[in-house]
C-alpha cells in the first residue's frame, strides 16, 4: 500500500490586467498544482509555473509529474528531500518548474509534520525580512502612470518597471514623476543590444534606479560583460542565471543574480544558488513568474537570505485559488504567518 496519496491539478488563471514585457503580452497563466498527502492526512501543496521561454508548458509538467512522484514513493520518506531532489534531477534533466512543484510540496508536508513554518525549518529569523517590489508591465505611458499611482495607493514602496521599448526613458520619467520616493528597479528582459544598453542606462541613471535587470540576451554573455564593465548602474542577471552552476560563469559580469524557483528546479537548489552567489560576492534577488501563492509562498520564506525580492506574481492574478504569506504593501510578513508549512492554503 502506498504511503502517499497524490493529486495533480492543471489550471488556467486569469490576470487582473493584460501584462506585457519585451517578449510579449499575457492575459492569463497556466499553472499546475501538486498535492501530496501522507498517511496521517497532512497535505503538502506545491505549484509549477512553467514558461515556454525555458522549454516548459503546463502539458509538459503534467506529463512528467507522475514520474517525479514515483521517485517520492520510491524514497518513501518525506524528510529525505535532498535525496529526492537529486534523484528527480538525475531522472529528468529539464522541466525545472515540474521538479520545483514536487520540491515545494515536500517541504510543505515535511514542515507540517514537524508543526513549524518553513523559515524555521531553515533556521531563519522571520524578522530579517524585506519588501517585495510590485511590477509595472509595459503599456501606454499614461496607463503606466495610472498603474504606478494605484500601486502607491496600495502602499507599495518598491516598484519594478518593465522596459524594452522605443520610449524607455519616457516610461521611467513618467513612473518617477508619479512615484518620486519609491525604490525603483527596471527590467529589459533581454531587449537591448550591448551598445544600446550602455547608452540607455546612461540616460536612465539620473532617475534614481537601484539596478537594471537582464539588459541583453542570455545568449550573449560577452555582451553582458560589456554592459557590466561600462554601466553606471548595478546589473542583475536573470535569464543568464538559471541554477547554482551558472553563477561562476556570470560572476564577473553582473552585481546581482535573480533566483526563480520555476527555473532552478527546487528549494534545495535555490538555497545552493544563494550561497554560491554569496561566495562570489554577488547580491541576490528572488523573482517569480505570474503564478499562484502555491509557489510564491515558499519563495517568501527565503526573504531573510535575500537582498531584494520581486514576489508579486500572485498579486497580478484576477483570483488566486491559494492564500500565502501575508504581504501588506509588499512587506513580506513571515512573523505574521500563523500556520506551519509554506503558508499556502486554499482561499476561502
Amino acid at each position: 500500500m502506498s504511503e502517499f496519496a497524490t493529486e495533480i491539478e492543471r489550471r488556467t488563471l486569469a490576470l487582473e490586467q493584460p501584462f506585457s514585457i519585451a517578449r510579449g503580452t499575457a492575459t492569463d497563466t497556466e499553472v499546475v498544482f501538486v498535492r501530496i498527502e501522507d498517511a496521517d492526512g497532512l497535505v503538502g501543496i506545491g505549484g509549477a509555473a512553467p514558461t515556454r521561454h525555458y522549454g516548459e508548458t503546463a502539458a509538459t509538467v503534467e506529463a512528467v509529474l507522475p514520474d517525479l512522484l514515483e521517485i517520492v514513493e520510491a524514497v518513501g520518506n518525506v524528510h529525505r528531500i535532498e535525496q529526492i531532489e537529486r534523484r528527480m534531477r538525475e531522472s529528468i534533466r529539464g522541466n525545472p518548474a515540474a521538479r520545483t512543484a514536487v520540491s515545494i510540496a515536500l517541504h510543505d508536508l515535511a514542515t507540517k509534520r514537524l508543526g513549524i513554518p518553513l523559515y524555521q525549518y531553515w533556521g531563519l529569523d522571520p524578522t530579517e525580512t524585506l519588501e517585495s517590489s510590485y511590477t509595472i508591465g509595459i503599456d501606454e505611458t499614461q496607463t503606466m502612470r495610472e498603474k504606478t499611482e494605484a500601486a502607491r495607493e496600495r502602499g507599495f514602496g518598491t516598484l519594478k518597471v518593465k522596459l524594452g521599448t522605443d520610449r524607455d526613458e519616457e516610461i521611467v520619467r513618467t513612473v518617477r514623476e508619479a512615484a518620486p520616493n519609491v525604490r525603483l528597479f527596471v527590467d529589459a528582459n533581454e531587449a537591448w543590444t550591448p551598445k544600446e544598453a550602455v547608452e540607455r542606462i546612461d540616460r536612465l541613471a539620473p532617475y534614481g534606479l537601484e539596478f537594471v535587470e537582464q539588459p541583453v540576451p542570455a545568449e550573449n554573455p560577452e555582451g553582458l560583460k560589456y554592459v557590466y564593465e561600462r554601466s553606471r548602474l548595478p546589473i542583475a542577471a536573470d535569464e543568464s542565471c538559471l541554477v547554482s552552476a551558472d553563477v561562476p560563469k556570470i560572476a564577473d559580469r553582473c552585481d546581482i543574480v535573480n533566483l526563480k524557483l520555476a527555473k532552478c528546479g527546487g528549494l534545495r537548489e535555490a538555497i545552493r544558488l544563494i550561497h554560491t552567489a554569496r561566495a562570489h560576492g554577488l547580491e541576490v534577488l528572488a523573482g517569480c513568474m505570474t503564478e499562484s501563492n502555491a509557489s510564491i509562498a515558499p519563495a517568501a520564506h527565503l526573504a531573510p537570505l535575500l537582498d531584494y525580492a520581486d514576489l508579486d506574481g500572485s498579486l497580478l492574478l484576477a483570483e488566486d485559488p491559494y492564500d500565502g504569506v501575508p504581504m501588506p504593501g509588499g512587506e513580506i510578513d513571515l512573523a505574521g504567518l500563523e500556520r506551519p508549512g509554506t503558508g499556502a492554503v486554499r482561499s476561502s
Side-chain angles (χ1 to χ4, degrees):
M1 180 178 175
S2 172
E3 181 182 348
F4 304 109
T6 60
E7 182 182 353
I8 299 167
E9 180 189 8
R10 179 174 169 179
R11 291 281 297 272
T12 299
L13 305 178
L15 303 186
E16 189 173 43
Q17 303 177 51
F19 183 74
S20 298
I21 64 172
R23 287 193 290 270
T25 300
T27 57
D28 57 40
T29 184
E30 275 201 296
V31 298
V32 182
F33 300 120
V34 176
R35 286 181 281 276
I36 303 175
E37 182 176 355
D38 69 9
D40 296 322
L42 294 173
V43 179
I45 297 164
T51 170
R52 290 183 183 275
H53 191 70
Y54 298 115
E56 274 187 289
T57 65
T60 65
V61 170
E62 273 192 310
V64 302
L65 275 174
D67 293 335
L68 297 176
L69 292 169
E70 281 186 10
I71 294 170
V72 176
E73 284 287 349
V75 173
N77 186 331
V78 72
H79 295 285
R80 294 179 182 170
I81 301 175
E82 181 72 33
Q83 181 185 15
I84 293 171
E85 283 201 16
R86 183 181 68 250
R87 290 177 64 172
M88 288 196 300
R89 189 170 59 248
E90 291 169 351
S91 174
I92 298 177
R93 294 283 181 173
N95 292 99
R99 289 185 282 116
T100 291
V102 177
S103 171
I104 293 170
L106 289 170
H107 281 83
D108 190 36
L109 180 53
T111 47
K112 283 175 177 173
R113 289 172 72 145
L114 296 171
I116 59 174
L118 182 57
Y119 68 77
Q120 187 175 339
Y121 185 69
W122 287 333
L124 303 178
D125 181 348
T127 65
E128 294 179 353
T129 188
L130 69 168
E131 183 181 28
S132 170
S133 58
Y134 183 84
T135 305
I136 309 296
I138 295 172
D139 213 318
E140 296 297 324
T141 306
Q142 179 57 29
T143 302
M144 294 181 75
R145 178 192 292 275
E146 293 167 359
K147 289 180 178 179
T148 300
E149 291 170 347
R152 289 297 296 125
E153 289 174 2
R154 293 171 64 183
F156 289 95
T158 305
L159 301 178
K160 182 162 95 168
V161 180
K162 294 291 190 178
L163 300 180
T165 74
D166 58 2
R167 52 191 171 88
D168 285 341
E169 185 177 2
E170 176 189 337
I171 287 171
V172 173
R173 181 173 63 251
T174 300
V175 170
R176 181 51 86 194
E177 288 172 354
N181 299 316
V182 300
R183 300 176 69 201
L184 194 59
F185 318 146
V186 297
D187 183 4
N189 283 115
E190 307 181 276
W192 300 332
T193 67
K195 185 176 180 182
E196 282 177 335
V198 174
E199 292 172 350
R200 294 193 187 202
I201 290 169
D202 279 346
R203 293 199 297 270
L204 297 177
Y207 294 98
L209 308 183
E210 296 214 8
F211 62 79
V212 176
E213 188 174 337
Q214 200 63 44
V216 299
E219 295 77 19
N220 187 0
E222 290 308 310
L224 184 63
K225 188 172 185 179
Y226 176 92
V227 177
Y228 168 70
E229 291 175 343
R230 294 164 177 80
S231 175
R232 293 173 60 186
L233 295 171
I235 299 297
D238 179 3
E239 288 87 346
S240 294
C241 184
L242 308 185
V243 295
S244 58
D246 294 327
V247 173
K249 304 172 190 175
I250 52 125
D252 64 345
R253 55 204 68 197
C254 68
D255 304 278
I256 305 160
V257 294
N258 186 345
L259 155 71
K260 288 180 180 172
L261 296 184
K263 65 181 182 179
C264 77
L267 288 167
R268 304 290 299 172
E269 174 61 16
I271 291 175
R272 275 192 293 273
L273 192 152
I274 291 170
H275 292 317
T276 306
R278 296 292 185 214
H280 285 82
L282 301 175
E283 292 186 310
V284 183
L285 157 72
C288 63
M289 309 301 180
T290 49
E291 55 188 301
S292 165
N293 273 309
S295 42
I296 293 285
H301 286 258
L302 294 168
L305 297 174
L306 305 173
D307 300 287
Y308 309 95
D310 178 36
L311 298 175
D312 64 340
S314 65
L315 303 178
L316 303 177
L317 302 176
E319 186 175 356
D320 189 344
Y322 287 92
D323 291 326
V325 174
M327 209 177 293
E331 190 69 30
I332 300 171
D333 185 14
L334 290 175
L337 184 64
E338 297 178 349
R339 49 186 177 265
T342 67
V345 294
R346 282 283 193 181
S347 302
S348 56

